[in-house]
Amino acid sequence: MAETKLTAEEAQALRTVLCAVVVKRRTGELGIIHGAERFVSTHRILKQADRDALDGAARKLGLGSIREYAG
């Protein structure tokens, strides 16, 4: 796959979205934390390879790892 370049605005938009994303540790369910630590599901389950890819993308954007939710 060819290398993709992001504009500064695109990278900032992805940072904004990815900093809100969490993955349930046990099931791989993708969601966000809303309010007082309430998990809101996107009804998507990520396989480990997809979780690793998402984590890698977040690190490239300077966010560190995608947060995991234990609940």
Side-chain angles (χ1 to χ4, degrees), residues 2 4 6-8 10 13 15 18 20 31 35 38 40 42-43 46-49 52 55-56 58 61 65 68 71:
T4 302
L6 297 175
T7 67
E10 291 168 335
R15 280 187 201 96
L18 289 177
R38 193 174 127 237
V40 180
T42 62
H43 303 288
L46 297 179
K47 294 179 181 178
Q48 187 62 49
D52 293 341
D55 202 48
L61 290 168
S65 297
E68 289 188 337

Side-chain angles (χ1 to χ4, degrees), residues 15 54-64:
R15 280 187 201 96
L54 185 63
D55 202 48
R59 287 182 180 177
K60 286 179 182 177
L61 290 168
L63 296 174

